[in-house]
């Protein structure tokens, strides 16, 4: 994998990284030993008895030892049998399987939502065990705490809300946020995921109920990246909703007024950013599911002055770039051929344009990173939105989509025009890749997929990336049955592989943002970089693309299994740390200063060790009572 990794970076004209990766390992001093304070020393608590059992951060349930029960006044409050954490998990899993159906609120309540309810109850009473269960069963439960089930949770959140998790800043709190932020009990917060609920997955404006997406993302930061759960904060910024059903629902928990807009909206976000960075100067803020109207504007407003990124714009783009690079490999072509790929993109929202911008930059870097290369790379994309092909004749064109508007004369020579349908574009362009980020379920119809049979590629790639599952542009069964067995398929939500017969498997790759955003956040944290640069994001995508072996990609497997998410995150975070050091952005973390970090990054194994030993693991600490 290391050889291919170096080739990948060379193809991207990133010679500085290549040189660093070729440093003679014999010239490096013996590996340093890193330790972490996360969960490996006694924890002082200022409560005892039932207060401990009611606190999910410290509660161990039946796993409290007899010594701890005496020390914390718990003797007699728990059954006498002391159980190991493994026994606790086994008991929980038995209950989970038994209660899945019983937990449903009638036949309309899907089994996945019942699982979410049970996991949420565990989270409420025992945080450590919750993350033990999640990490041990990440492939099964990631779709429950994250997409696609989190979309259903957000739609029903007003009815599911039981106890507060995270913070809510609203338009009614203007002028008070600086003091409000001190209501959160943690003196140190490493990671915030914030949403305004305006565009939750592909479900539209869900208002305050969008807090569910922030909670789910941070669960994955803990499980995948080992961010300490006591140092994460889900945030909802409630500026109203334009969802008329919610405005008329007397049980809706948010502000029942239409959304703020313009300068009023910006003022609320500005006040929130000032408040959180005043209390926690080193925090990283991930913007999540903001409508396209604001996603790019807020990213450009803050990205050069704050440790922040937008997962829909930059995370989605990074995962898509990794998939696109993987598709080139799966087609049996050298990575340097990526700038030759003809890509039709369905969707011109924040995710779609974010991916196209990132892919254009990647192509330009491979072509020498000149102004001419950057300008010519845009000709590889045909962007189609709800009104058809975007050309320079489009009226009131979105400024973010303008660079990718096709020249009318050139389009005419291809048999296309302003507003040409997706089917027409696929027929005429004959693309190597059909990329869907539209949020429109079933958009890749039989006619569209039939048209893709004319692709100039012997192995065309279909990326149906919209979430949740019902919004996927097509299913893998549809893709393989209509286009044929010799395709590459990826989606944003999980699908089962397709049995093609004769022992052949059609791989359904999940191009999920969780492959990247935990590593981007962790790498930024451990590097101490004050911003998250394009180079850091590019390094993350390239490391993900290089994770798969040659044999795997030739079988059509371009993304790794979710079960490897901790290892994937470690690799991605290491790449982000190294890039931050190379760009002279790293300022160090805790007792590791910038100079020490430079030394660590001279050796691949050493930086991986540094990352791994900095990741929190869900182990019960020894609790020691201390009177206030």
């Amino acid at each position: 994998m290391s050889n291919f990794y170096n080739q990948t970076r060379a193809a991207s004209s990133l010679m500085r990284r290549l040189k660093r990766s070729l440093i003679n390992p014999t010239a490096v001093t013996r590996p340093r030993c890193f330790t972490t304070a996360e969960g490996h020393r006694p924890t002082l608590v200022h409560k005892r008895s039932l207060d401990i059992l009611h606190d999910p951060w410290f509660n161990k349930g039946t796993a409290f030892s007899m010594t701890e029960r005496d020390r914390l006044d718990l003797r007699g409050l728990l059954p006498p049998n002391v159980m190991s954490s493994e026994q606790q998990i086994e008991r929980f899993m038995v209950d989970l399987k038994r209660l899945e159906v019983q937990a449903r609120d009638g036949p309309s309540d899907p089994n996945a939502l019942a699982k979410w309810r049970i996991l949420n109850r565990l989270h409420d009473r025992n945080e450590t065990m919750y993350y033990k269960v999640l990490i041990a069963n990440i492939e099964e439960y990631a779709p429950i705490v994250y997409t696609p089930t989190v979309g259903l949770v957000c739609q029903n959140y007003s009815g599911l809300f039981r106890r507060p998790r995270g913070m809510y800043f609203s338009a009614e709190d203007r002028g008070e946020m600086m003091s409000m932020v001190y209501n959160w009990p943690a003196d140190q917060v490493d990671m915030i995921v914030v949403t305004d609920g305006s565009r939750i997955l592909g479900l539209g404006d869900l208002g305050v109920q969008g807090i569910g997406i922030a909670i789910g993302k941070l669960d994955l930061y803990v499980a995948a990246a080992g961010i300490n759960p006591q140092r994460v904060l889900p945030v909802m910024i409630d500026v109203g909703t334009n969802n008329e059903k919610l405005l008329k629902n007397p049980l809706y928990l948010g502000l029942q007024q239409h959304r703020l807009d313009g300068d009023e909206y910006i003022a609320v976000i500005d006040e929130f950013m000032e408040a959180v960075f005043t209390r926690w100067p080193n925090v990283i803020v991930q913007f999540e599911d903001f409508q396209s109207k604001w996603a790019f504007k807020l990213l450009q407003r803050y990205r050069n002055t704050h440790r922040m990124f937008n997962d829909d714009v930059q995370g989605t783009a990074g995962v898509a770039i990794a998939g696109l690079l993987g598709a080139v490999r799966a087609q049996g072509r050298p990575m340097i051929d990526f700038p030759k790929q003809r890509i039709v993109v369905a969707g011109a929202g924040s995710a779609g344009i974010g991916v196209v911008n990132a892919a254009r930059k990647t192509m330009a870097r491979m072509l020498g990173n000149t102004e001419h290369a950057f300008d010519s790379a845009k000709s590889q994309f045909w962007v189609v939105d709800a009104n058809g092909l975007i050309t320079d004749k489009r009226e009131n064109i979105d400024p973010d989509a303008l660079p990718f508007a096709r020249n009318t004369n050139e389009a005419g020579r291809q048999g296309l025009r302003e507003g040409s349908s997706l089917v027409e574009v696929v027929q005429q362009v004959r693309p190597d890749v059909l990329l869907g980020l539209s949020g429109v379920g079933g958009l890749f119809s039989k006619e569209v997929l039939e048209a893709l049979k004319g692709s100039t590629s012997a192995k065309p790639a279909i990326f149906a990336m919209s979430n949740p599952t019902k919004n996927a542009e097509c299913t893998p069964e549809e893709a393989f049955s209509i286009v044929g067995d010799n395709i590459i398929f990826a989606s944003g939500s999980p699908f089962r592989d397709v049995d093609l017969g004769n022992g052949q498997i059609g791989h359904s790759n999940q191009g999920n943002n969780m492959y990247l955003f935990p590593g981007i956040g962790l790498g930024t944290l451990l590097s101490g970089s004050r911003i998250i640069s394009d180079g850091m994001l590019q390094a993350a995508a390239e490391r993900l693309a290089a994770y798969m072996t040659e044999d795997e990609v030739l079988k059509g497997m371009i993304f790794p299994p979710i079960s490897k998410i901790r290892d994937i995150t470690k690799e991605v975070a290491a790449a982000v740390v190294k890039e931050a050091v190379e760009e002279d952005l790293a300022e160090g973390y805790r007792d590791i200063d910038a100079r020490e970090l430079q030394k660590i990054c001279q050796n691949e194994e050493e930086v991986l060790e540094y990352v791994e030993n900095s990741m929190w693991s869900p182990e019960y600490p020894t609790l020691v009572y201390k009177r206030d």
Side-chain angles (χ1 to χ4, degrees):
M1 187 180 76
S2 61
N3 286 338
F4 179 76
Y5 173 68
N6 289 335
Q7 292 169 7
T8 301
R9 295 204 158 193
S12 303
S13 301
L14 303 178
M15 297 306 298
R16 290 179 303 136
R17 286 193 212 140
L18 179 60
K19 290 176 182 177
R20 184 156 302 217
S21 71
L22 294 175
I23 288 178
N24 182 2
T26 61
V28 181
T29 57
R30 64 180 179 82
R32 297 171 181 80
C33 294
F34 303 106
T35 59
T36 174
E38 307 297 341
H40 292 286
R41 64 182 182 187
T43 299
L44 297 179
V45 293
H46 303 283
K47 55 183 68 176
R48 292 182 292 187
S49 188
L50 289 174
D51 290 337
I52 284 282
L53 297 180
H54 292 160
D55 189 328
W57 282 358
F58 301 120
N59 180 31
K60 302 182 188 181
T62 56
F64 278 110
S65 68
M66 295 309 294
T67 301
E68 285 181 309
R69 295 182 191 204
D70 286 337
R71 188 164 58 226
L72 300 171
D73 294 345
L74 295 173
R75 189 180 283 269
L77 301 181
L78 293 165
N81 187 11
V82 177
M83 305 190 79
S84 67
S85 58
E86 290 75 19
Q87 288 175 306
Q88 285 184 308
I89 292 174
E90 183 180 359
R91 185 160 58 92
F92 172 77
M93 295 300 289
V94 169
D95 278 350
L96 177 65
K97 301 302 180 186
R98 179 174 56 84
L99 293 174
E100 279 175 9
V101 176
Q102 295 179 19
R104 293 170 64 175
D105 284 354
S108 64
D109 189 3
N111 202 45
L113 191 54
K115 286 185 180 180
W116 181 88
R117 292 172 187 272
I118 299 165
L119 287 169
N120 197 53
R121 292 168 195 166
L122 176 62
H123 198 176
D124 285 344
R125 65 180 183 269
N126 188 331
E127 190 142 8
T128 301
M129 186 176 164
Y130 171 75
Y131 287 114
K132 273 184 172 290
V133 170
L134 184 56
I135 292 171
N137 302 275
I138 190 68
E139 208 155 13
E140 180 179 356
Y141 293 144
I144 303 299
V145 302
Y146 183 43
T147 181
T149 306
V150 71
L152 195 59
V153 170
C154 290
Q155 287 177 304
N156 296 277
Y157 199 77
S158 288
L160 294 171
F161 179 83
R162 294 295 180 270
R163 62 180 291 171
R165 194 184 304 284
M167 289 196 74
Y168 299 81
F169 296 86
S170 79
E172 299 297 311
D173 298 319
R174 282 173 283 187
E176 302 292 335
M177 294 184 194
M178 190 65 76
S179 59
M180 285 172 59
V181 76
Y182 288 91
N183 291 338
W184 189 250
D187 290 330
Q188 183 174 340
V189 170
D190 293 332
M191 181 63 60
I192 289 173
V193 175
V194 59
T195 184
D196 69 350
S198 58
R199 190 201 62 83
I200 298 300
L201 300 173
L203 302 171
D205 185 348
L206 297 182
V208 77
Q209 299 181 156
I211 185 70
I213 194 72
I215 294 169
K217 288 275 187 177
L218 286 169
D219 276 347
L220 293 182
Y221 265 112
V222 177
I227 303 293
N228 189 316
Q230 296 186 31
R231 296 179 186 163
V232 302
L233 174 58
V235 170
M236 160 54 60
I237 298 182
D238 185 359
V239 292
T241 178
N242 293 332
N243 185 322
E244 293 299 326
K245 288 184 178 179
L246 296 179
L247 289 173
K248 297 174 182 177
N249 184 353
L251 302 181
Y252 175 60
L253 296 173
L255 294 179
Q256 292 190 292
Q257 62 186 49
H258 286 98
R259 285 187 171 275
L260 294 183
D261 205 353
D263 291 341
E264 283 191 300
Y265 176 87
I266 289 287
V268 171
I269 310 297
D270 278 349
E271 185 177 347
F272 161 76
M273 292 291 280
E274 182 182 7
V276 296
F277 278 96
T278 296
R279 185 176 183 197
W280 302 297
N282 298 316
V283 73
I284 301 163
V285 177
Q286 175 178 315
F287 278 60
E288 189 69 34
D289 284 358
F290 283 70
Q291 60 183 311
S292 301
K293 176 180 180 179
W294 290 114
F296 284 105
K297 291 179 182 177
L298 296 176
L299 178 61
Q300 296 307 317
R301 187 175 184 84
Y302 303 122
R303 68 168 306 187
N304 295 319
T305 54
H306 295 75
R307 299 216 300 181
M308 63 80 63
F309 69 106
N310 184 302
D311 186 46
D312 304 297
V313 177
Q314 296 165 297
T316 300
V319 170
I321 294 303
L324 291 170
L325 293 174
V328 177
R329 294 176 65 195
Q331 290 166 351
R333 301 165 66 181
M335 189 70 70
I336 198 67
D337 277 1
F338 178 55
K340 300 177 183 177
Q341 294 271 286
R342 297 160 68 86
I343 304 173
V344 170
V345 183
S350 60
I353 296 301
V355 167
V356 175
N357 273 318
R360 180 188 183 187
K361 289 177 183 177
T362 302
M363 289 180 175
R365 288 166 80 122
M366 288 183 170
L367 295 172
N369 217 19
T370 63
E371 186 174 339
H372 174 71
F374 186 70
D375 187 59
S376 64
K378 69 180 181 181
S379 65
Q380 299 304 116
F381 302 94
W382 287 259
V383 181
V384 180
D385 67 2
N387 296 314
L389 178 67
I390 298 176
T391 72
D392 52 16
K393 292 294 185 182
R394 176 71 60 93
E395 295 181 3
N396 301 318
I397 189 170
D398 187 326
D400 296 314
L402 182 59
F404 301 99
R406 303 296 300 194
N407 178 274
T408 306
N409 293 331
E410 178 191 1
R413 289 193 294 272
Q414 294 176 325
L416 298 172
R417 65 191 185 286
E418 162 61 35
S420 288
S421 69
L422 181 59
V423 173
E424 292 171 324
V425 173
V426 173
Q427 286 173 337
Q428 298 302 320
V429 174
R430 303 172 69 193
D432 301 287
V433 179
L434 178 58
L435 177 60
L437 288 154
S438 65
V440 181
L443 181 66
F444 295 168
S445 63
K446 181 179 180 181
E447 291 74 21
V448 171
L449 294 174
E450 287 278 3
L452 191 61
K453 286 183 177 181
S455 169
T456 55
S457 173
K459 200 169 187 177
I462 301 168
F463 287 74
M465 302 296 285
S466 293
N467 288 311
T469 308
K470 69 176 185 177
N471 288 352
E473 283 77 9
C474 70
T475 67
E477 288 86 357
E478 292 166 341
F480 282 103
S481 64
I482 296 173
V483 185
D485 296 352
N486 209 29
I487 64 170
I488 303 152
F489 181 86
S491 59
S493 288
F495 286 98
R496 295 183 183 277
D497 289 341
V498 178
D499 185 353
L500 302 176
N502 299 320
Q504 300 296 308
I505 297 295
H507 291 284
S508 178
N509 298 278
Q510 187 185 2
N512 199 303
N513 287 20
M514 71 180 289
Y515 285 124
L516 278 192
F517 71 77
I520 293 169
L522 179 62
T524 302
L525 178 69
L526 298 182
S527 70
S529 175
R530 285 292 166 183
I531 63 167
I532 300 174
S533 69
D534 285 340
M536 291 161 69
L537 296 165
Q538 182 79 15
E542 289 176 359
R543 180 64 67 95
L544 175 60
Y547 192 85
M548 304 299 290
T549 67
E550 201 69 23
D551 287 343
E552 288 171 329
V553 295
L554 290 177
K555 292 176 183 176
M557 301 165 63
I558 58 174
F559 290 111
I562 296 294
S563 59
K564 294 184 178 180
I565 191 61
R566 293 269 292 196
D567 188 60
I568 297 163
T569 299
K570 178 181 70 174
E571 295 270 349
V572 169
V576 171
V577 170
K578 289 180 68 177
E579 179 62 20
V581 168
E582 291 205 14
E583 292 186 28
D584 201 25
L585 294 171
E587 298 184 6
Y589 175 69
R590 293 188 177 175
D591 59 342
I592 307 251
D593 62 19
R595 182 175 297 180
E596 179 74 1
L597 203 54
Q598 285 181 338
K599 294 178 182 177
I600 292 170
C601 287
Q602 290 175 358
N603 181 276
E604 182 71 19
E605 293 303 317
E606 206 166 337
V607 70
L608 287 169
E609 182 187 359
Y610 167 60
V611 172
E612 185 173 10
N613 288 336
S614 300
M615 296 169 74
W616 176 87
S617 293
E619 303 295 336
Y620 288 133
T622 300
L623 301 183
V624 177
Y625 174 71
K626 181 180 180 181
R627 191 186 304 272
D628 285 326

